Amino acid sequence: MAISYKDCNSALNNVFFDGRHAGQPVYLTLDNDMRDEVGRQLGIEPTLVEGAICRRVGLWLERHGNPYETTIDQMELWRAGGMKARPFFTAVLFCLSHAATMMAADGEFAANNYYFRLSQVTGIEKNRLSQHGIATDLLWGALRDWLVLNNFALGKPTAVATTTWKYVGKAISQAIVRASDRELFHDLFERYGFSGSESIPLVEMEFYLSHWIVGSKAKTRLRNAWAKPELRERVVEAALAELSKWSSGDATTTTGSLASAGSTRLSLLANFVQRFPRQVLELHLGRTASEDRAGPFKMEGDSHEFFMASDRFGGYSTLAPSPLGRGIGSRCHLSGGASGFRSLDWQPRLVIPLVKCTQENLWAEVAKVSFGVPHVVLVRDAHGLPARVEAYLALAAMTMPEKATPSELPGLPPGWLLYKDVKVRQPERVPDFDLECLVPWSNDGVLSIGGGLQLLPGFYHASKPVSVDFLSNAGPTRVEAWTNDASPRLLAQVESEGNECSLPMEASRLLFSDGVMLRACHAGRGKVSNEVYFRDSDSPRPLNREDKGRLAYQSVIAASPTRGGAGRATVTGMESNATIARPAVSSIDAPGMLPEGSCEEEQQPATSAPQTGTLETCIERGHHYWICETLPPGKPRTTPLEQRCNGCGTTIVMLHRGTPRATEALPALPVPISRIAPADPPRTDALDADGLLDALCFLGSGGWGKFQALAGLGNDPTSTSPRQVAQDLSLLGFLDLELVAGSSAIKSWCVPRASVNFIDDQKAFLSGFRSPRLVDGLVAATQRHGGQASQEEIPGRPRAIWLAGLDASSLGQALAGLLDPLGREIAIVDRPGKILAAALHELQGMPASLRRVSIGKPRSLQAFDARKARWLDTGIASRPGAYRWNEGYQAYAYVAPDGSSWAGPYQVVKVLAARDGGISLWQYDQPRAIFRATLGCDPPGLLGRALVASSGYLPSTERGTISYSNISPIVASSVLAALSTENFDEGNHRRSQSG
């Protein structure tokens, strides 16, 4: 069957713009996997894909005059309609890119050669293609604008005129680095010891590439492209994109000096927990990833099983139990064994630099420091190494860091020191090899954005001011901000005679759709530039066409992806998708006093037992035995040289920066290094709930790591943690939450559409999506029809927006035609508490949130005493009840009377344990319409939302209990029934899971 242009365009859109390139450059050329995927969609052999699509494009284009005339006309209509659909001209741009790929294979970058190749693949005469090349510029521009509109969630534009040929250059920019070239970058990552968690600036990656490409495995085509200065940025971007895949394990790792063949490299992660009066340090091994649970893994000669999970840090998967109880002086290599997982590998170092992640207080290991960027550095306290480090910092540090010992910073391993806020420049004198990781590749200036709230890479929230900071090795310096449109104009600038320059900017005034171009200069010469965009919920990220990221509740505890939910009762926000009969009111007993509980807080992670009897390693000994490569005759002094340790095999690459000087040559200056500052007292005003909600509404959905980063509350696992904030937003109907199976850990979140929720005949509150213009429109419409609107400031939660004076029917008429920025109507929900209570009877019950687990004998095991509502230490889970432990991530489990063990959310395991013991942790005061629960035993998921929806307020806390107000007997009866009467056994659990 002949393929159509529409078929070709759709297949290409499916591989280029399905979200796999989110936040990364997207090139309109195919690698082998993408080619196979397109071939399957079109029903043709992969080797024939490009040729078949280009021939189809040739038939699509005009045979006379401007070949692109019809395409341009349709593109303008598509623009006028808001660019809501995926581009229909992707196949045309792909054809242009393929012609450039053929030209690149020839090694001849020339306009005539390009149009000759384009004519070959389309069957259209070369002169006509060349004459109307300007039309293709409009198509490339439209693609860029569409990707910007989608906030790079579908990829970042890469088409730029990197050559003197304005129209040909954009197609050439797609073909400079081919798929086979990208795989060769893995050799670069291994050679320079990348840890897998780096976020390397473009200018720094260019420095790595400039030295790697000499004598590397790079093909002649890639070297030729690198030889042209105008093409280098494309090569750098391709390397950074490939690093992202390599870091997350999406790309195959080649054999290197630090990791075994086929293994995944782990990074050391440091988490500073703000516990007053002292900070506490947590060390983990992990990688950039977001996975529920992987494993088991085993270490040679050890019977312990280890798992990788992202429960603790959503954007990072960490190893649990942590093997770092063995210290951080020995290599950690774990085999996936029969599980089929790739091996995991981590190699310690004498000096370990770490850089701050987007998540507050979390730092990730890097191979080498960058100029001017704050780092945390762990240093082995042996063989005089700290003195050498401090002597080096006396020369290279831009500001003196803070220092901590194990006695001053709980969690810091014995025999190690920690230096915080280490910012260094490249010194004139060369330190010894052990300190090479503290020497930046260059002293090129760094442009960064301070403050603000980062939504996505390059995107910041408009609610918070930002500071554009430029740091150079010397002055004078200047920072400029320009509009990023066709006619750029200067917005602001600042100059400094020193090496630092900072430009404060009010983000709310920078809501330009095309973004802002930031430029930094040193001594009058342009050094670095960067595009940034400022957004809020008035211009949110468009909804995914395939509903990816959207959630709905099919069980009472947790939401799940909407796919496969047809025909089932579901809940999103305050809405139920089915008309459900009003439940009967069952008898409600009112027991005596409730046990007084406490907020559920995570335990401190336990580490595995230290290993004994092993040979002393270089790290434990405090020095390496370096075998040094000598500078080949005739080579420049900037030639990279490899130094390999004869003891542990560690390899470093360093530059020969002049005549080496022994460590002793570094001046023994007094170094004013202060002790690490004590933790700040807990802050009650740390959360900007309105700003957080607006940022969540802008994104629409996301993973747990993104929520942690936006909340800005650090990674302290306490009741004020991001987890508690997310649960509160869920109870109020602002978020739907998906949990990791069998866990309290949040996997993902989604903002439901806006709903106005009536708690009585003429009073309602707003939940779900909100934006400034939507709220203004809602308030104005309400007031025009005789109603009143008010806003209530409540600490720790978004402003409550109340509407009064109109009933549900009248308000529905008043809001008719009012749409949110995503084109959705506002839902009108009458008595949401009762609606949710009724839905509880149709959804899967609490056992659906459980999964089978083996508890074993974790050292931090505790059992829940339901009568006292307290966790108590125990040695083994020998009796029915609720248990918890933490070996790198917090786990809860319920042991049933039949001896089976089930992992689940903490509320659920407490519910089941209390019910087995005949203990009530909840009660209803019908005369006062108050529902009470023991603190820490709050009704989970939609049970809690049904209670909160009855009043629009979170529960109040008093003496170890929590209270929900305005609760009707129907709501109370339904919640108590879900908590108290559902039988649990293995058979019922399985039916609930499959139901």
Side-chain angles (χ1 to χ4, degrees):
M1 182 179 67
I3 58 174
S4 67
Y5 175 85
K6 183 178 180 180
D7 294 333
C8 295
N9 197 73
S10 177
L12 292 171
N13 278 332
N14 288 340
V15 297
F16 291 137
F17 306 125
D18 66 345
R20 70 184 71 179
H21 299 293
Q24 298 295 331
V26 56
Y27 297 91
L28 300 191
T29 56
L30 300 175
D31 60 26
N32 290 334
D33 291 339
M34 297 165 72
R35 190 176 293 108
D36 290 342
E37 191 175 338
V38 172
R40 285 193 299 271
Q41 293 183 58
L42 298 180
I44 58 179
E45 290 293 324
T47 55
L48 305 177
V49 164
E50 282 93 346
I53 292 176
C54 289
R55 285 193 298 273
R56 186 67 258 181
V57 169
L59 296 174
W60 164 266
L61 297 176
E62 300 296 319
R63 311 308 295 179
H64 304 284
N66 182 356
Y68 310 102
E69 183 174 2
T70 300
T71 306
I72 295 298
D73 290 344
Q74 294 184 7
M75 180 270 291
E76 294 295 345
L77 292 174
W78 174 74
R79 271 187 179 278
M83 299 186 287
K84 296 179 180 178
R86 295 190 296 188
F88 68 91
F89 49 84
T90 303
V92 174
L93 296 180
F94 173 79
C95 182
L96 301 177
S97 302
H98 181 59
T101 301
M102 297 173 66
M103 181 185 67
D106 295 341
E108 291 185 45
F109 291 92
N112 286 337
N113 187 25
Y114 171 77
Y115 285 117
F116 171 75
R117 289 299 192 181
L118 185 59
S119 177
Q120 274 189 323
V121 298
T122 61
I124 297 176
E125 54 269 29
K126 182 178 70 171
N127 290 340
R128 197 152 56 88
L129 291 168
S130 175
Q131 180 182 357
H132 296 283
I134 187 175
T136 65
D137 194 49
L138 300 176
L139 298 178
W140 287 116
L143 175 64
R144 179 194 181 280
D145 292 345
W146 179 71
L147 291 173
V148 171
L149 177 67
N150 283 275
N151 305 308
F152 301 158
L154 302 176
K156 295 176 67 175
T158 55
V160 294
T162 55
T163 67
T164 54
W165 315 296
K166 181 177 180 181
Y167 309 124
V168 176
K170 292 189 176 180
I172 291 176
S173 69
Q174 303 297 288
I176 294 169
V177 182
R178 303 180 72 177
S180 58
D181 296 323
R182 295 177 197 144
E183 294 175 0
L184 296 177
F185 290 140
H186 302 177
D187 176 65
L188 179 150
F189 308 151
E190 294 285 356
R191 183 181 181 192
Y192 292 113
F194 287 4
S195 68
S197 298
E198 288 91 350
S199 178
I200 297 179
L202 188 144
V203 65
E204 193 167 320
M205 179 58 83
E206 182 177 355
F207 195 87
Y208 279 108
L209 280 163
S210 66
H211 295 282
W212 168 80
I213 209 162
V214 178
S216 71
K217 299 177 182 179
K219 296 178 181 178
T220 301
R221 179 182 59 252
L222 185 60
R223 292 180 183 175
N224 290 341
W226 186 258
K228 300 178 182 296
E230 67 272 19
L231 302 182
R232 286 190 174 185
E233 187 172 342
R234 302 300 100 187
V235 179
V236 174
E237 287 180 345
L240 289 171
E242 190 63 20
L243 175 62
S244 176
K245 295 180 182 179
W246 182 82
S247 300
S248 62
D250 293 337
T252 302
T253 304
T254 58
T255 302
S257 59
L258 300 184
S260 299
S263 64
T264 296
R265 190 190 303 273
L266 299 180
S267 301
L268 186 68
L269 301 176
N271 179 34
F272 289 88
V273 181
Q274 303 296 322
R275 290 209 173 92
F276 187 74
R278 292 195 299 176
Q279 290 181 331
V280 175
L281 177 68
E282 292 180 356
L283 294 177
H284 302 266
L285 292 182
R287 68 187 186 97
T288 305
S290 181
E291 54 198 350
D292 293 355
R293 189 174 172 89
F297 300 92
K298 288 193 173 182
M299 197 175 298
E300 184 177 354
D302 194 327
S303 61
H304 284 88
E305 289 188 341
F306 300 84
F307 293 85
M308 290 287 289
S310 57
D311 295 12
R312 187 70 175 84
F313 311 106
Y316 290 84
S317 288
T318 53
L319 201 59
S322 173
L324 297 180
R326 307 164 184 270
I328 57 174
S330 300
R331 179 175 177 176
C332 178
H333 186 83
L334 298 99
S335 171
S339 62
F341 294 102
R342 297 172 66 190
S343 298
L344 306 175
D345 194 276
W346 179 71
Q347 178 85 356
R349 295 181 281 169
L350 290 172
V351 179
I352 307 174
L354 304 98
V355 73
K356 196 166 188 178
C357 309
T358 54
Q359 292 175 230
E360 292 289 320
N361 299 330
L362 187 64
W363 299 72
E365 178 183 1
V366 291
K368 194 176 185 69
V369 299
S370 299
F371 168 78
V373 176
H375 295 82
V376 162
V377 179
L378 288 166
V379 177
R380 181 76 172 100
D381 189 6
H383 206 64
L385 187 59
R388 290 148 58 196
V389 167
E390 293 182 17
Y392 167 75
L393 292 177
L395 289 177
M398 306 184 81
T399 57
M400 283 299 108
E402 296 177 329
K403 176 182 178 181
T405 64
S407 63
E408 296 164 335
L409 182 61
L412 180 61
W416 289 80
L417 300 177
L418 181 141
Y419 297 84
K420 197 172 184 181
D421 197 26
V422 176
K423 292 194 292 185
V424 295
R425 60 169 63 87
Q426 190 180 91
E428 295 180 0
R429 301 185 184 183
V430 182
D432 65 18
F433 302 138
D434 291 337
L435 307 188
E436 177 61 26
C437 65
L438 296 182
V439 183
W441 278 123
S442 72
N443 281 340
D444 287 340
V446 57
L447 182 67
S448 60
I449 294 183
L453 181 64
Q454 187 176 35
L455 300 167
L456 296 165
F459 286 81
Y460 290 81
H461 196 266
S463 68
K464 297 184 181 297
V466 299
S467 173
V468 183
D469 304 315
F470 179 58
L471 179 63
S472 184
N473 191 40
T477 52
R478 185 171 78 251
V479 174
E480 302 171 345
W482 295 76
T483 60
N484 197 34
D485 49 24
S487 302
R489 59 185 175 87
L490 184 65
L491 297 171
Q493 68 174 347
V494 65
E495 298 185 29
S496 170
E497 291 300 318
N499 67 323
E500 295 183 69
C501 197
S502 182
L503 175 63
M505 302 188 72
E506 190 62 46
S508 60
R509 300 180 181 179
L510 302 174
L511 289 167
F512 303 107
S513 59
D514 290 324
V516 176
M517 176 61 72
L518 304 176
R519 296 173 182 164
C521 304
H522 163 234
R525 299 187 303 274
K527 296 293 292 183
V528 63
S529 63
N530 197 10
E531 291 181 15
V532 293
Y533 300 82
F534 296 90
R535 298 286 189 265
D536 63 13
S537 57
D538 278 334
S539 55
R541 184 167 63 178
L543 297 173
N544 186 279
R545 288 167 54 87
E546 287 77 33
D547 277 342
K548 291 181 180 178
R550 311 309 295 173
L551 301 174
Y553 286 84
Q554 297 180 26
S555 76
V556 299
I557 300 300
S560 56
T562 55
R563 59 182 181 273
R568 293 181 175 179
T570 60
V571 168
T572 56
M574 298 292 183
E575 302 178 79
S576 172
N577 73 335
T579 302
I580 303 173
R582 178 174 175 174
V585 179
S586 58
S587 60
I588 305 174
D589 295 328
M593 297 293 292
L594 292 175
E596 294 181 5
S598 59
C599 293
E600 183 64 29
E601 297 186 358
E602 292 186 3
Q603 301 165 278
Q604 283 295 298
T607 58
S608 54
Q611 191 175 29
T612 60
T614 58
L615 295 176
E616 186 181 42
T617 66
C618 292
I619 309 304
E620 292 164 335
R621 185 169 49 242
H623 63 89
H624 292 288
Y625 297 103
W626 294 108
I627 299 176
C628 306
E629 182 182 6
T630 58
L631 183 67
K635 291 288 185 179
R637 292 194 178 277
T638 56
T639 302
L641 302 175
E642 291 190 357
Q643 326 296 333
R644 182 178 179 84
C645 175
N646 195 41
C648 64
T650 296
T651 300
I652 63 171
V653 178
M654 64 177 294
L655 297 184
H656 190 71
R657 293 177 292 270
T659 303
R661 299 287 296 270
T663 306
E664 289 73 21
L666 295 175
L669 299 178
V671 183
I673 296 179
S674 60
R675 297 300 179 185
I676 195 165
D680 295 328
R683 291 179 54 191
T684 58
D685 61 343
L687 178 67
D688 176 9
D690 286 303
L692 172 61
L693 177 60
D694 195 87
L696 298 172
C697 290
F698 166 82
L699 293 171
S701 62
W704 179 233
K706 174 54 68 176
F707 186 94
Q708 286 180 302
L710 292 174
L713 295 175
N715 300 297
D716 187 0
T718 67
S719 59
T720 58
S721 68
R723 183 197 66 198
Q724 185 61 56
V725 172
Q727 289 182 349
D728 288 347
L729 292 176
S730 175
L731 291 174
L732 292 163
F734 291 116
L735 292 181
D736 292 331
L737 300 179
E738 178 187 14
L739 301 183
V740 175
S743 170
S744 297
I746 299 171
K747 181 178 181 181
S748 67
W749 52 270
C750 175
V751 179
R753 71 165 175 163
S755 64
V756 175
N757 314 291
F758 279 82
I759 61 172
D760 60 29
D761 290 342
Q762 293 196 340
K763 185 177 182 181
F765 66 93
L766 180 67
S767 68
F769 180 94
R770 67 168 61 166
S771 74
R773 282 202 294 265
L774 178 65
V775 171
D776 290 345
L778 186 151
V779 169
T782 301
Q783 293 173 342
R784 279 198 307 269
H785 287 76
Q788 302 91 42
S790 62
Q791 299 189 19
E792 183 180 4
E793 300 286 345
I794 303 176
R797 61 156 287 184
R799 287 172 297 119
I801 297 176
W802 293 97
L803 306 177
L806 296 174
D807 59 25
S809 176
S810 300
L811 186 60
Q813 295 175 9
L815 301 183
L818 180 63
L819 304 177
D820 73 7
L822 294 167
R824 300 174 298 185
E825 295 179 342
I826 300 176
I828 306 295
V829 183
D830 194 10
R831 306 307 196 276
K834 293 182 179 179
I835 289 176
L836 295 177
L840 300 180
H841 298 267
E842 301 296 324
L843 302 176
Q844 299 176 50
M846 286 185 291
S849 65
L850 305 177
R851 63 172 173 81
R852 197 69 180 261
V853 69
S854 175
I855 297 177
K857 297 180 180 180
R859 287 182 296 144
S860 58
L861 187 66
Q862 293 183 318
F864 184 67
D865 184 338
R867 295 189 182 279
K868 297 181 180 179
R870 294 288 186 272
W871 290 105
L872 303 175
D873 293 338
T874 187
I876 188 171
S878 58
R879 297 181 178 181
Y883 296 86
R884 72 174 186 173
W885 64 95
N886 191 320
E887 291 188 306
Y889 59 90
Q890 188 65 61
Y892 297 88
Y894 163 68
V895 176
D898 65 0
S900 60
S901 302
W902 305 88
Y906 73 87
Q907 300 103 320
V908 174
V909 302
K910 289 179 179 179
V911 166
L912 297 174
R915 189 166 58 194
D916 288 348
I919 301 167
S920 178
L921 302 174
W922 315 273
Q923 64 179 210
Y924 178 54
D925 183 346
Q926 186 166 345
R928 300 174 62 189
I930 293 176
F931 187 101
R932 294 190 181 91
T934 295
L935 185 61
C937 305
D938 42 306
L942 292 183
L943 308 182
R945 184 179 295 181
L947 296 170
V948 170
S950 299
S951 66
Y953 290 100
L954 291 170
S956 59
T957 303
E958 183 179 0
R959 295 187 61 183
T961 62
I962 55 176
S963 300
Y964 303 80
S965 60
N966 197 40
I967 308 301
S968 70
I970 291 177
V971 174
S973 174
S974 297
V975 171
L976 286 172
L979 290 169
S980 306
T981 63
E982 184 178 14
N983 293 324
F984 178 91
D985 59 45
E986 187 172 343
N988 282 341
H989 172 52
R990 286 176 176 170
R991 285 193 293 274
S992 182
Q993 280 190 316
S994 61

